[in-house]
């Protein structure tokens, strides 16, 4: 961390500042230039609040030299992390996997959907049992019964399963039903008590980016899980909030490329939530793939009009199958060799 | 809810749509104009997803006629809600109360701060025991021990106490230590499992607005608590995220006026988080008061440089005292009679 | 336009409202439902301010039924517009064209760059002569001399030319130098006096989306040009401002798909400004193509380190050539037939 | 400007970087710490693009030490600028002035409005003759005829006049009609060709903050005017775009306090555009005043229902009069002495 000291600061003020830093266990490396004085803070600066420094009278500006995330940082772990999700599905490190299925698990129709998405090329089965809803009056999901159905449909089709966990108290139900990947939704990206509990597991965690989160905050959320000992984190870009109202969210394809540059964790895209309308899902799926995603999570429902939730953004199995053909070709463009 | 049907829709498509609505328990009120056909949906539309309707081929646009929040809605409850926080402190209905204290409870210095803020006119004591932090490596608060200190300082000064709860599993500790007001932080505004648990209590809940939440979403979060049976909700505007980086957040004074117009719940402002820098806290406190807030929550610390967290935005007791004098005069301007 | 009237409105108030509308040349189509009264406004509603209606005591909410853009609207012009840019380059209607060249024209090195981008597959030559800069102290471009160089390089390589116009008073210089496409920058998207002047020309206009503009506002800006009689508008998505600071802007691939759905105008993507860093330009170019763009505008410079402006986001000719190969394959994925 | 060099950089790379800087006329001040190497750039860094540096392989991060605005910067000009608008109205330096009048000048009703706002305490008369409109089909203003009316109403009431200029070609008409203050609207805040022309005048310029502009960009726009020689700039905060749709814009009261801290220029608030609805204008006016504004610009119309534009946000003269009484009391709170 670097603090730039105002030209107006006296030597006495500077000395006092250096002493204050030392009192917090930091070493201060002062370098007086002709136009500014730069103080480099050496030591563990994770506990130093840059806002506090900037509020001090003699400080002009404060800059972090190094990212606040360590375990998620590609600088310290240059090789891609590969997350083993079971059934031979390895996410990251050059593979490409598609998770598909209904937004909400609704009952036995899950089995038919599972068969169809598998036939079309999906390698993982997604379905929501606990649903975060804006309205307390909206359907909140099937709960544990849904997890059981998901488990059974996964076993029948030999596919790893993905489902959202919203509360630490529900984790045992996910373990009992052997759900392969526990998903953290956008609303819970900064729910630190939940992230800490997931850090104690050895299950893969699919971490969605928050609605208004920066990439750094997203990686700090991954760091919460990893700091607890669980390095099996898959990042998921699912669209951010912008001023645009013609789509539900705005897919940030840049974020896929940036997250892969800054971190070794795999990154997948969710074109369903990132658009909110079926008519835009396929182009968003292609765009996320083109940006370098390691996979996709797509909502598929055999009868979107009758879905419990988010039917507006679901593909039918036939639409999904055609999308998969295009996705494969885009993936070829991404992985082709430069001349 | 109103659905506007495209001019290109055939009578057969329209009939099919009406039948589909009836199959979901709704009555359809069709009104064919010369330029558009409007279908009014009568019945319980809370379970209807407007995105789904808009994704249908024949639908041009969908508009909610009535707000999705009911219990928090001033239309159905015109009178101001007054929340009894104990020690004679009634928030809402024309009163003005200031909650003050340190961001984090750090130890026995809480007692001195409590005495000073009370002397300066604060009527409620705030202090954080469980801290939501962006970094897993930052101080996470004193926990239960902090709640005990807060309780004792509240009793000593006959002030109701306010502290943030981050996880449903911690609620019993708040009840054991008789914390007067349970605060929900911005990051948890859409943590529906936590909101539901708070809905089962009869304690006042201070609900902060999420970083990127609209006013409607904020009121829907209040609705979650109220739908569970707990009507004692105080709203708190604490700044939203914008493109501006010269301040930590952007105080949205409009939101104070709008929330009071749409809802009967009391609304307070938090100028400390809404600015992030001590030098801007007083002007923000005055602005929130001028916009019609029912109170303020302000961070005060006797030695901000040494605070565990957010020292950059804390007022000293002396600064707080001067601020209170100005706040009182602004409050007079707000409550004066029109000629 | 639909106005929903409050349940509390009296018949007298409703009658007064209908009369007020008629006084403004509109017909009011009143439909009283059991839960709401809906008033459809028939006639030319382009001059009616929905904010004004919503501020009236008896009005609950106002919704536009039809988009405010007419000439740019695909509803009234279902077929794709094809813009003839000269030298046989037709943009829109299923073609794919790449405009490449330096951000700023700097001198004779333009000719070498032009030859190289043409060899790599670019069909149009871009270069800035008048530069919008945040700082008055930054280089403001070569001006007319730059237009001359651009013209000559275009002729030599038989490529249409693209350059930004910032002020109506400069238009004659663009015409004198026979610049093929006049570009309107993001900062000028709502400069209505400039748009009106461009509406009087018959030259193609490349209209960049504003930094914080919605898609509807972007199409309304196109409408300004088209209302003046010039239908040759090409839209350009160049990234929007979001909270993210790891990239200069955020490429909105959704916007490409949405603009093509709502409008018949061609839409191209600008991955250079949409990312701001060379290392992310190729993935953004692929993403924009995958989302369905009709072309791309890419900054290429033979020596980015020495570029006058935006060198940070320029590709070298070699990088550009490799990008073009990938882009072609992605384009195949977009245009392949469904089974 | 400070560049932080990666630990992985070799001495050779560092030397090459220093040479590159020197080739651009800058001196490089290298300071090697144990954890990072910091290069301070000495000389005129206004022409250096921080994005370009950050795109270089060996650079970790770049930070500006000093603000890019000079003439607008309080550091170099600690005393408040006072702008003389004529008729004895001095804006800035501790005074408080209210500009009031209709959004659009419509005809002779301007004279009655002028008399009423003056009687209520306004000291400046505002009115729009050239109107920036989102739709080409909306009323574009009276033009020069409107300026004449404004001039006459100003003379009659001995009030300085304020009106928006949208195009450099219209400036002579403003001079001919002796308009006291030329207003630059939010859409034109970064119209650098217009700003440069205004920099050549000696008339006061009222510079509105752009819809999505940061405070630094706003001050850079002021710098454009000042760099041309015209230091008579008044800043105007008129609300920014956020996700909120219950108000037209979001008043950023923080920005008023920050702009006054960073710059010596006077800052006024525009509560009319910052809210968009009459019912919220007064609370926003009080909030802007409380935040420390040097004045306000408020839309007043004797018959808002019949206004040409923005009637939804206009106060009646009676409402304005009551607002002025409250504003005065808030102003007292702002200017009271600390104990």
């Amino acid at each position: 961390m670097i603090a730039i000291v105002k030209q107006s600061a006296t030597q006495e003020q500077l000395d006092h500042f250096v002493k204050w830093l030392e009192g917090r266990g930091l070493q201060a490396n002062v370098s007086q230039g002709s136009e500014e004085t730069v103080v480099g803070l050496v030591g563990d600066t994770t506990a130093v609040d840059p806002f506090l420094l900037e509020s001090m009278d003699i400080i002009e500006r404060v800059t972090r030299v190094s990212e606040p995330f360590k375990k998620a940082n590609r600088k310290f772990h240059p090789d891609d992390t590969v997350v083993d999700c079971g059934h031979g599905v390895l996410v990251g490190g050059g593979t490409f996997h598609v998770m598909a299925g209904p937004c909400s698990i609704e009952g036995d129709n899950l089995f038919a959907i599972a068969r169809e998405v598998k036939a079309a090329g999906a390698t993982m089965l997604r379905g929501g049992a606990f649903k975060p809803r804006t309205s307390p009056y909206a359907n909140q999901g099937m709960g544990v019964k849904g997890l059981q159905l998901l488990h059974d449909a996964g076993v029948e089709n030999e596919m790893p399963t993905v489902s959202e966990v919203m509360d630490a108290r529900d984790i045992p139900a996910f373990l009992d039903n052997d759900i392969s990947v526990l998903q953290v939704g956008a609303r819970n990206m900064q729910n630190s008590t939940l992230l800490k509990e997931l850090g104690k597991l050895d299950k893969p965690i699919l971490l969605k980016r928050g609605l208004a989160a920066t990439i750094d905050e997203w990686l700090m959320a991954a760091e919460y899980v990893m700091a607890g000992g669980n390095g099996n984190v898959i990042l998921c870009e699912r669209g951010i909030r912008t001023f645009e109202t013609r789509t539900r969210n705005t897919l940030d394809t840049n974020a896929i490329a940036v997250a892969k540059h800054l971190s070794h964790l795999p990154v997948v895209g969710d074109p369903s939530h990132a658009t909110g309308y079926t008519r835009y899902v396929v182009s968003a799926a292609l765009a996320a793939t083109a940006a370098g995603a390691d996979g996709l999570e797509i909502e598929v429902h055999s009868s979107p009009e009758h879905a419990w939730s988010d039917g507006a953004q679901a593909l039918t199995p036939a639409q999904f199958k055609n999308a998969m053909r295009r996705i494969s070709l885009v993936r070829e463009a991404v992985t082709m060799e430069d001349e």
Side-chain angles (χ1 to χ4, degrees), chain A residues 130-141:
Chain A
F130 297 90
K131 302 301 303 171
R133 304 300 295 266
T134 304
S135 166
Y137 310 119
N139 188 298
Q140 312 272 321

Side-chain angles (χ1 to χ4, degrees), chain A residues 192-252:
Chain A
S192 52
T193 62
L194 177 61
L195 297 174
K196 282 181 198 169
E197 294 294 334
L198 297 173
K200 297 176 189 164
L201 308 181
D202 61 358
K203 288 272 183 181
I205 306 301
L206 183 76
L207 179 63
K208 295 210 161 185
R209 181 181 179 192
L211 201 63
T214 63
I215 297 169
D216 279 54
E217 288 169 338
W218 189 21
L219 293 174
M220 283 308 288
E223 189 82 7
Y224 254 102
V225 177
M226 299 173 89
N230 185 356
N232 301 302
V233 178
I234 303 167
L235 299 168
C236 180
E237 159 62 32
R238 46 74 75 195
I240 52 173
R241 179 165 282 187
T242 67
F243 304 137
E244 188 52 57
T245 57
R246 289 275 180 187
T247 49
R248 186 170 183 165
N249 293 294
T250 295
L251 177 66
D252 181 0

Side-chain angles (χ1 to χ4, degrees), chain A residues 261-274:
Chain A
H261 177 73
L262 295 176
S263 176
H264 51 90
L265 297 173
V267 183
V268 302
D270 170 354
S272 307
H273 287 90

Side-chain angles (χ1 to χ4, degrees), chain A residues 272-333:
Chain A
S272 307
H273 287 90
T275 56
Y277 295 95
T278 297
R279 78 168 69 92
Y280 303 127
V281 169
V282 177
S283 61
L286 299 185
T289 305
D294 297 295
L296 298 170
E297 185 174 30
I298 302 183
E299 290 184 6
V300 178
H301 196 286
S302 27
S303 177
E305 294 197 347
H306 295 97
W308 280 12
S309 61
D310 285 351
Q313 66 197 33
L315 298 184
T316 62
Q319 290 170 321
F320 178 65
K321 199 176 161 189
N322 272 308
M324 287 297 286
R325 292 173 55 235
R326 293 172 191 264
I327 289 165
S328 295
L329 195 49
V330 171
R331 182 68 190 160
E332 272 183 47

Side-chain angles (χ1 to χ4, degrees), chain A residues 7-227:
Chain A
Q7 282 186 286
S8 61
T10 63
Q11 185 62 41
E12 197 186 338
Q13 287 177 309
L14 186 58
D15 292 346
H16 178 262
F17 177 56
V18 168
K19 219 166 258 173
W20 181 83
L21 288 171
E22 290 171 353
R24 296 171 85 99
L26 296 163
Q27 207 185 312
N29 183 358
V30 180
S31 132
Q32 249 148 338
S34 61
E35 301 219 338
E36 67 274 322
T37 299
V38 175
V39 179
L41 281 61
V42 182
D44 178 15
T45 59
T46 49
V48 178
D49 180 1
F51 282 107
L52 177 58
L53 297 187
E54 286 202 342
S55 74
M56 292 179 176
D57 273 353
I58 66 161
I59 303 299
E60 180 70 45
R61 203 163 286 200
V62 173
T63 299
R64 276 203 183 279
V65 176
S66 49
E67 288 85 10
F69 45 95
K70 304 294 172 197
K71 291 177 187 291
N73 199 324
R74 193 182 277 277
K75 257 179 225 159
F76 310 121
H77 311 267
D79 292 339
D80 284 357
T81 281
V82 178
V83 179
D84 185 345
C85 299
H87 291 291
V89 172
L90 304 176
V91 176
T95 64
F96 192 84
H97 287 283
V98 177
M99 319 171 190
C103 178
S104 293
I105 298 165
E106 299 161 0
D108 288 343
N109 60 347
L110 177 64
F111 292 87
I113 298 174
R115 280 189 296 270
E116 294 194 273
V117 298
K118 177 158 193 180
T123 49
M124 301 173 78
L125 181 64
R126 64 144 289 152
F130 297 90
K131 302 301 303 171
R133 304 300 295 266
T134 304
S135 166
Y137 310 119
N139 188 298
Q140 312 272 321
M142 285 189 88
V144 176
K145 177 71 191 145
L147 294 182
Q148 290 166 351
L149 288 169
L150 183 62
H151 167 265
D152 293 351
V155 167
E156 187 182 292
N157 294 282
E158 295 178 12
M159 297 168 91
T161 50
V162 185
S163 197
E164 177 170 349
V165 60
M166 291 170 58
D167 194 294
R169 294 170 301 178
D170 296 327
I171 292 177
F174 283 76
L175 301 183
D176 290 349
N177 288 288
D178 202 23
I179 301 303
S180 316
V181 181
L182 278 68
Q183 177 173 310
V184 177
R187 288 178 178 82
N188 277 315
M189 191 202 83
Q190 290 196 319
N191 181 339
S192 52
T193 62
L194 177 61
L195 297 174
K196 282 181 198 169
E197 294 294 334
L198 297 173
K200 297 176 189 164
L201 308 181
D202 61 358
K203 288 272 183 181
I205 306 301
L206 183 76
L207 179 63
K208 295 210 161 185
R209 181 181 179 192
L211 201 63
T214 63
I215 297 169
D216 279 54
E217 288 169 338
W218 189 21
L219 293 174
M220 283 308 288
E223 189 82 7
Y224 254 102
V225 177
M226 299 173 89

